[in-house]
Amino acid sequence: MTEREPLSKRLEYIYKNVLETISEHIVYYDKDFKIIWANKTAADSLNLTPEQLIGKNCYNLWQERNEPCEECPVLKALKFGELNSKEMITPDGRLWFVEGYPVFDDKNKISGVVEITRDITERKVAEQKLKESEVKYRNILENMMEGYFETDLMGNFVYANVEYCKIMGYSKEELIGKNFRLLYDTMSSEVLFNMFNQVYKTGIPRPPTGVAKVITKKNKLIYFEGTIDLLYDSKGNKVGFYGLVRDITKRKIAEQKLKKSEEKYRSLFENMNAGFALHEVIVDDNNKPVDYRYIEVNPAFERLTGIKKEDLIGKIVTEAIPGTENDSADWIGKFGNVGLTGIPITVEDYSEVFDRWYKVSGYSPKKGYFAVTFTDITERKKAEEALKESEEKFRTIAEQSFMSIYIIQDGIFKYFNERVPKVNGYSPEEIKNWKPYEFVKLIHPDDRDFVLDQARKKEIGEKGVIEQYKYRIIRKDGELRWLESFSKTINYKGRPADFIMSIDITEQMNAEKQLKKSEKKYREAFNRSNFYKDLIAHDINNILQNILSSVELCLLYMEEEKDLNELKQMLKISKQQVGRAANLISNTRKLSRLEEVKISTQPIEAIEVLNQSIDFLLKSLQDKKINLDIENPYKTITVQANELLIDVFENILINAVKYTQNYPVDVKIKVSKLQKDGLKFVKFEFEDSGIGIPDTNKGSIFQRVDNVDRTVSGMGIGLSLVRKILTTYKGKIWVEDKVKGDYSKGSNFVVLIPEV
Amino acid sequence: MSGYRVIGEAKNGQEAVSLFNSFPKKPDIVLMDYRMPIKNGIEATKQILKINDKSKIIFTSADNSIKQEALSIGARSFLDKPYSVTDLITEIKKIYKNLA
């Protein structure tokens, strides 16, 4: 081919030598965009001959359109005279790289355009796949849980994935372009450098077994393991390193912890107080456990059984500890079954071989094996037995006790012995069903406040609680019983409660009452006896003294022949003393009668008796000048009394005169009525001008019989008799000062006698 | 009587003390009963001896149980009732002899 040959010639040449054989479509268009030539490849794509394409439009043929495609590079080349290209898709889905080359005529005007079209469908698909693959693997790299890095041969980071950055504590920006030494201290850097160097020299990747420590940016020590391998370019040249890194800090710590834990458990195993043993179960033909072999025991096992480890390991129990097969606890059967069934058990049993009690827990770590942990509970068992015996003993004591024993908490009987229902008459069921504080109905209303007050004080911890006291209860049948209770606050099931022991003291109380009565009676009898002895020894002797002295003086006067008047005076004294003695005897008889028999009373006309007494006084004491002043508005007054009433009035009146030193003797008698404690009384007052009675003696003058104070005397038994008589009348007597606060001015004897 | 003169009489212990106190020249001998109204012989003896510890007191009572106490507080002798005038004069003489 020469330079200046006609186009046809040149085309022909191309057609013949090149164009027909190449894989691209080549189509030549005239300036009207009609095909004037096409190669065979282009025609083949339409299953036509090149000649059949002549004069057609490309868009009709390939794009099945009636007008040119938008942005058609061929048309653009034709229009603008410049090379134009574009990727285009045909309706069959294939992708084409279309290029338009403008063709110029001799005058350099556009005469046509050549279209060269390459089918890039496969390449594009491959590129797309590669791209997708790259994205996929990049995504994997970015998102995988292992750190991934790439460096150049100098160790400068060219890539690091998210996890790597996370592990090392640096951002990508901080890492990329920096040397790996940034991450490590000097020593670690050297170690890693040697690793890289070795891989570089040998070409052998470092397996993922290495573990290294690194200080991260955050100054945190981490452990990691990883691989290092060489990166090659497409020509097989070494261009860098890549590697995978895994943070194994947690695993390392866990391993360390596990190691420590193992050490701890090993230590526990070796040092624990509980015995441990692992056994292999030996069965007979019927798969029944008949023996077991020791696999492992801990030191506590040796300590608790007294058998050395070397005498156990590998041995069967029937040889190592003979007699075990006959032990009633059936250790072989029980724990053999644990090994066979895998069902754990815990037992407390007595070992006849060791003569000890053990608490044994067994489980099966593997079928056919069982492990046990056990403790020696002999002492505890003994204590429990002792406690049980003690509890039984005390329960028996409590139940058989004659005392009522009960525990009250929140107002409810939490416990009561058999005696309680017997004493209060309610059935055990009724007591159990009592509502809170219903038991209060048992307590006698008069004692309720006291008993509940003690309970309240105890509850709030107030001082002055009486722990032992007597009170009455009312039985279900209404019978009143006396109880003596001892109560104490105890801890019952974790909370305070009242522990009460009561004893029925009704009989004792009745006996005491009787005894008191008897004692009183005896005391009175004793006092009376003393009184009568004193009466004879003292009062009669006094009278005898007076008579003796008078008689002796009479005799003396007679010897001296003295005046008869003096003699007469002495004899008169003797006569008076005899009268005094007679009166004393009479009073004594009356008093004695009052004490020995119950004297009946009857309505008596009191004014009449009073007048008789006044007459007697005036007649018997004629030698004394007596001024009587009687203030009595009543003509008659009837009182509940008897014939002894006259002795009351006489004794008081005689005393009034007897104990007055100044003459004339002034005696005022006043009669009135009054009501006292709902009863009607007649009040008799006897006011004298005598020597008076000091306050200290105002009570004792009426009590010569009962009161043994006889140091102050001289009043005989008159007033004692008066009091006794009035007591039988249910009357009263007392003495007041005539002038209040000055006893020496005289006395006022007040007598009350019930009016009929 | 028998050469002795009674210079005063009292009806009770309190009066006896007052009377004793009232004498410018104290009596040689006091005859003291035990049971008396207001104040008994023991109390009266104690008070009289307090006024004059040289007082010679003959204690007398029908209650013999008081004898020891009476002598222990300073009574010179004790006469059980009933006693005769001769017994009394003998006691007075004994004491008077000592006085002389």
Side-chain angles (χ1 to χ4, degrees):
Chain A
M1 191 171 92
T2 60
E3 284 283 325
R4 290 283 93 191
E5 277 181 330
L7 177 65
S8 60
K9 286 284 181 189
R10 278 186 278 156
L11 284 171
E12 190 178 347
Y13 176 77
I14 293 165
Y15 167 72
K16 283 180 179 173
N17 294 289
V18 184
L19 297 179
E20 291 297 340
T21 58
I22 64 171
S23 60
E24 284 88 356
H25 299 187
I26 299 175
V27 179
Y28 189 9
Y29 299 90
D30 64 13
K31 62 181 181 184
D32 297 323
F33 204 43
K34 301 275 188 203
I35 298 169
I36 53 174
W37 183 87
N39 70 352
K40 190 175 181 295
T41 308
D44 285 349
S45 70
L46 294 167
N47 290 321
L48 297 172
T49 61
E51 289 75 23
Q52 287 176 308
L53 302 183
I54 304 301
K56 303 281 174 56
N57 293 109
C58 60
Y59 49 85
N60 290 131
L61 292 170
W62 284 284
Q63 297 290 358
E64 297 171 4
R65 292 165 63 102
N66 294 321
E67 54 185 11
C69 301
E70 287 175 19
E71 303 292 317
C72 173
V74 182
L75 202 57
K76 277 187 179 174
L78 183 65
K79 195 175 176 181
F80 299 110
E82 287 176 357
L83 173 65
N84 226 305
S85 64
K86 189 175 186 300
E87 286 179 3
M88 300 183 78
I89 298 170
T90 51
D92 60 2
R94 297 192 75 80
L95 187 66
W96 304 88
F97 186 72
V98 181
E99 290 172 301
Y101 294 90
V103 179
F104 298 92
D105 61 13
D106 296 340
K107 292 176 183 175
N108 208 25
K109 286 186 176 174
I110 299 167
S111 61
V113 61
V114 173
E115 177 187 6
I116 302 172
T117 305
R118 257 191 319 274
D119 187 347
I120 58 167
T121 308
E122 306 306 325
R123 197 195 82 199
K124 267 289 175 185
V125 168
E127 278 178 4
Q128 187 63 31
K129 279 186 179 173
L130 180 63
K131 199 175 173 185
E132 284 175 2
S133 172
E134 273 185 358
V135 167
K136 186 170 82 181
Y137 287 109
R138 188 62 65 190
N139 274 337
I140 290 169
L141 278 177
E142 282 299 320
N143 296 305
M144 70 183 186
M145 297 305 287
E146 287 184 325
Y148 176 82
F149 69 90
E150 290 175 7
T151 66
D152 59 19
L153 288 173
M154 298 303 290
N156 298 317
F157 286 104
V158 291
Y159 175 75
N161 73 351
V162 172
E163 184 64 17
Y164 187 84
C165 293
K166 197 174 149 190
I167 292 169
M168 297 304 174
Y170 289 87
S171 69
K172 274 193 185 183
E173 291 70 32
E174 285 172 321
L175 278 178
I176 306 301
K178 304 278 174 25
N179 196 272
F180 77 94
R181 289 176 186 272
L182 167 74
L183 300 179
Y184 308 99
D185 59 24
T186 313
M187 191 182 285
S188 302
S189 295
E190 280 309 306
V191 172
L192 279 166
F193 175 79
N194 288 334
M195 287 183 192
F196 281 109
N197 202 24
Q198 196 182 7
V199 172
Y200 181 80
K201 280 180 179 169
T202 62
I204 300 168
R206 187 174 169 82
T209 51
V211 175
K213 282 195 279 188
V214 63
I215 307 292
T216 67
K217 183 187 176 185
K218 290 175 181 171
N219 209 24
K220 184 182 156 194
L221 176 73
I222 62 162
Y223 292 90
F224 70 89
E225 64 178 14
T227 59
I228 303 169
D229 200 358
L230 281 164
L231 272 175
Y232 298 91
D233 64 9
S234 55
K235 292 173 183 169
N237 297 318
K238 297 171 185 171
V239 292
F241 299 96
Y242 74 95
L244 288 166
V245 170
R246 192 179 301 131
D247 184 352
I248 57 162
T249 309
K250 284 181 183 169
R251 197 185 83 198
K252 258 301 200 197
I253 290 168
E255 279 173 2
Q256 282 170 358
K257 278 185 180 171
L258 181 65
K259 197 177 166 192
K260 275 186 185 173
S261 174
E262 276 176 356
E263 282 169 5
K264 188 172 81 182
Y265 285 110
R266 168 58 58 183
S267 171
L268 272 175
F269 177 75
E270 295 294 336
N271 297 304
M272 67 192 214
N273 288 324
F276 172 86
L278 177 65
H279 318 78
E280 181 189 358
V281 184
I282 297 167
V283 295
D284 62 9
D285 295 342
N286 298 319
N287 203 36
K288 189 185 164 199
V290 289
D291 211 332
Y292 51 79
R293 190 183 307 284
Y294 284 93
I295 308 296
E296 179 65 287
V297 297
N298 73 342
F301 186 103
E302 295 176 279
R303 201 167 57 247
L304 289 168
T305 61
I307 303 172
K308 293 278 172 202
K309 187 176 180 177
E310 52 267 29
D311 296 332
L312 287 167
I313 302 303
K315 300 222 169 62
I316 55 176
V317 71
T318 49
E319 284 175 3
I321 309 171
T324 304
E325 65 276 21
N326 299 322
D327 207 306
S328 58
D330 188 23
W331 304 107
I332 296 172
K334 272 181 199 161
F335 289 97
N337 279 329
V338 171
L340 298 180
T341 63
I343 299 167
I345 58 167
T346 296
V347 296
E348 287 186 1
D349 253 319
Y350 173 69
S351 165
E352 289 163 14
V353 175
F354 293 107
D355 185 24
R356 307 291 292 173
W357 278 88
Y358 295 106
K359 180 177 183 179
V360 189
S361 294
Y363 66 96
S364 176
K366 185 180 168 188
K367 192 166 174 60
Y369 291 81
F370 70 89
V372 294
T373 55
F374 65 99
T375 49
D376 187 334
I377 56 166
T378 309
E379 299 311 316
R380 197 196 82 197
K381 274 283 175 186
K382 280 182 183 170
E384 280 177 0
E385 281 296 317
L387 183 64
K388 200 176 160 191
E389 271 180 33
S390 168
E391 274 181 352
E392 277 173 13
K393 191 166 72 185
F394 284 110
R395 180 165 290 277
T396 307
I397 291 169
E399 288 303 328
Q400 301 300 318
S401 175
F402 281 108
M403 296 187 92
S404 298
I405 299 172
Y406 47 102
I407 295 169
I408 297 177
Q409 193 176 56
D410 303 327
I412 293 170
F413 275 65
K414 296 284 183 181
Y415 166 79
F416 54 91
N417 69 351
E418 289 173 7
R419 191 75 191 156
V420 172
K422 284 179 186 168
V423 170
N424 65 33
Y426 289 88
S427 71
E429 287 66 37
E430 285 176 312
I431 296 170
K432 279 177 197 165
N433 291 328
W434 277 345
K435 289 172 189 157
Y437 297 98
E438 193 180 339
F439 72 87
V440 171
K441 67 184 178 186
L442 282 175
I443 308 167
H444 190 285
D446 291 349
D447 298 340
R448 212 169 275 170
D449 287 349
F450 169 76
V451 173
L452 294 180
D453 194 43
Q454 299 313 311
R456 182 191 60 78
K457 280 180 180 171
K458 257 194 305 182
E459 197 178 321
I460 60 171
E462 198 174 308
K463 284 181 179 175
V465 178
I466 301 168
E467 291 186 336
Q468 194 168 351
Y469 48 81
K470 296 171 183 174
Y471 63 100
R472 288 159 291 178
I473 64 157
I474 301 164
R475 280 170 53 87
K476 190 183 178 186
D477 58 14
E479 189 190 346
L480 190 143
R481 305 292 293 177
W482 274 95
L483 296 186
E484 181 164 18
S485 282
F486 171 81
S487 82
K488 200 164 176 58
T489 302
I490 60 162
N491 190 304
Y492 183 75
K493 295 189 177 172
R495 293 195 305 111
D498 274 342
F499 171 77
I500 302 159
M501 290 192 291
S502 298
I503 190 158
D504 188 337
I505 54 163
T506 311
E507 275 68 36
Q508 183 193 329
M509 288 297 279
N510 289 340
E512 275 178 15
K513 217 170 167 183
Q514 285 299 110
L515 184 66
K516 270 184 189 165
K517 269 188 189 172
S518 170
E519 270 181 357
K520 195 181 170 199
K521 216 170 161 185
Y522 168 76
R523 175 66 53 197
E524 284 170 357
F526 179 76
N527 286 343
R528 268 202 307 277
S529 163
N530 277 346
F531 165 70
Y532 289 121
K533 271 195 285 181
D534 189 66
L535 204 65
I536 300 300
H538 183 268
D539 293 37
I540 297 293
N541 272 343
N542 257 342
I543 291 167
L544 290 176
Q545 176 68 60
N546 292 342
I547 295 170
L548 177 61
S549 297
S550 302
V551 170
E552 279 186 315
L553 284 174
C554 277
L555 289 170
L556 196 67
Y557 292 161
M558 283 167 78
E559 279 173 17
E560 291 176 359
E561 293 179 351
K562 280 213 172 182
D563 187 353
L564 277 177
N565 275 339
E566 285 187 38
L567 203 65
K568 198 175 165 185
Q569 193 62 35
M570 287 300 113
L571 288 171
K572 201 174 172 185
I573 289 171
S574 293
K575 188 187 168 190
Q576 275 177 351
Q577 291 304 312
V578 171
R580 191 179 156 201
N583 189 44
L584 183 66
I585 289 162
S586 167
N587 277 349
T588 305
R589 193 185 297 122
K590 286 171 188 167
L591 195 60
S592 171
R593 194 169 145 242
L594 277 174
E595 283 161 352
E596 283 165 11
V597 289
K598 191 171 181 187
I599 307 295
S600 60
T601 58
Q602 60 195 63
I604 296 282
E605 177 42 55
I607 301 301
E608 198 180 313
V609 177
L610 180 64
N611 289 334
Q612 286 170 12
S613 305
I614 293 167
D615 286 346
F616 172 78
L617 175 79
L618 296 175
K619 278 179 190 168
S620 57
L621 300 171
Q622 280 176 358
D623 55 333
K624 298 196 173 172
K625 173 78 177 151
I626 302 167
N627 288 335
L628 263 176
D629 178 10
I630 301 168
E631 189 181 315
N632 174 26
Y634 312 103
K635 282 186 179 173
T636 60
I637 296 175
T638 311
V639 294
Q640 190 67 25
N642 57 21
E643 74 279 3
L644 295 172
L645 182 58
I646 195 164
D647 293 287
V648 172
F649 294 146
E650 278 182 10
N651 271 290
I652 296 170
L653 286 169
I654 287 169
N655 275 341
V657 177
K658 198 170 159 187
Y659 293 102
T660 301
Q661 295 171 322
N662 305 317
Y663 296 98
V665 177
D666 291 325
V667 178
K668 185 177 179 183
I669 301 170
K670 194 175 165 187
V671 184
S672 60
K673 291 184 182 181
L674 63 80
Q675 274 208 343
K676 197 175 179 188
D677 303 329
L679 296 171
K680 286 181 178 178
F681 289 93
V682 180
K683 184 179 182 185
F684 299 92
E685 292 173 81
F686 301 89
E687 201 177 275
D688 63 46
S689 52
I691 57 173
I693 299 161
D695 289 347
T696 49
N697 296 346
K698 279 191 171 73
S700 63
I701 56 168
F702 301 106
Q703 295 172 353
R704 185 168 170 196
V705 180
D706 301 322
N707 195 325
V708 199
D709 178 18
R710 300 191 180 93
T711 59
V712 176
S713 187
M715 298 237 180
I717 60 164
L719 289 175
S720 291
L721 177 66
V722 166
R723 187 182 69 90
K724 277 275 178 193
I725 293 168
L726 289 170
T727 303
T728 64
Y729 298 168
K730 294 180 181 159
K732 287 185 187 338
I733 182 166
W734 69 89
V735 64
E736 299 170 348
D737 292 332
K738 183 177 166 186
V739 176
K740 202 173 178 184
D742 184 359
Y743 76 91
S744 66
K745 294 287 189 294
S747 305
N748 182 28
F749 282 80
V750 184
V751 172
L752 298 183
I753 303 172
E755 187 185 5
V756 174
Chain B
M1 189 181 73
S2 301
Y4 306 112
R5 190 164 57 92
V6 177
I7 61 165
E9 288 175 50
K11 290 185 177 63
N12 58 57
Q14 187 169 296
E15 199 179 311
V17 175
S18 302
L19 191 64
F20 184 85
N21 221 8
S22 67
F23 292 128
K25 186 178 183 303
K26 303 302 177 198
D28 295 319
I29 288 168
V30 176
L31 186 62
M32 181 70 77
D33 196 7
Y34 173 43
R35 293 190 194 176
M36 293 179 286
I38 305 172
K39 188 173 283 177
N40 67 33
I42 293 287
E43 291 305 314
T45 299
K46 283 179 186 170
Q47 288 186 15
I48 286 170
L49 287 172
K50 206 172 177 183
I51 296 164
N52 182 1
D53 61 357
K54 300 276 191 302
S55 300
K56 309 292 181 289
I57 297 170
I58 298 172
F59 211 93
T60 173
S61 177
D63 182 359
N64 185 264
S65 66
I66 203 69
K67 183 177 178 178
Q68 281 305 315
E69 191 181 350
L71 294 173
S72 71
I73 61 165
R76 285 298 173 101
S77 66
F78 187 90
L79 279 175
D80 284 308
K81 283 184 184 178
Y83 56 84
S84 67
V85 174
T86 315
D87 295 336
L88 176 63
I89 290 168
T90 306
E91 284 304 313
I92 292 170
K93 277 182 178 170
K94 270 190 208 169
I95 293 166
Y96 204 72
K97 193 178 173 187
N98 287 338
L99 280 176

